[in-house]
Amino acid sequence: MKRTFTIILLAAGLALSAAASAQAACTVEYKAKRDNPLELFYEVAVVPGPCNAATAQAQLRPILAGKGLTLLKILSVRQQ
């Protein structure tokens, strides 16, 4: 009985860790600017979804626009 319980707990832990890694986010380094007066920004953001520049750009643009910033360039995209 104790061995069965241990196996069930181990399987549940593995399932939870697999689910967490499937939901992994991307770390995106980018450059942005704000006009009047000109301010340049280098920042790192975490975005959900597939790790590629196109997805990161699509998700970052509206976030930055809400802060009054314009995305200039994505420098790197890394799986977190």
Side-chain angles (χ1 to χ4, degrees):
M1 180 70 180
K2 185 176 181 180
R3 185 174 181 187
T4 304
F5 183 70
T6 304
I7 291 172
I8 290 172
L9 282 178
L10 181 61
L14 289 173
L16 287 174
S17 67
S21 65
Q23 301 258 336
C26 294
T27 302
V28 181
E29 292 179 282
Y30 65 91
K31 290 182 182 180
K33 72 173 184 169
R34 179 181 294 143
D35 293 324
N36 292 334
L38 178 64
E39 294 179 89
L40 299 174
F41 297 87
Y42 163 82
E43 295 186 8
V44 178
V46 177
V47 296
C51 279
N52 60 51
T55 302
Q57 185 175 14
Q59 292 187 4
L60 276 176
R61 281 196 190 275
I63 294 169
L64 294 175
K67 297 178 181 180
L69 299 173
T70 303
L71 180 65
L72 295 175
K73 184 177 184 180
I74 292 182
L75 301 172
S76 71
V77 180
R78 283 180 261 131
Q79 185 77 34
Q80 190 177 28

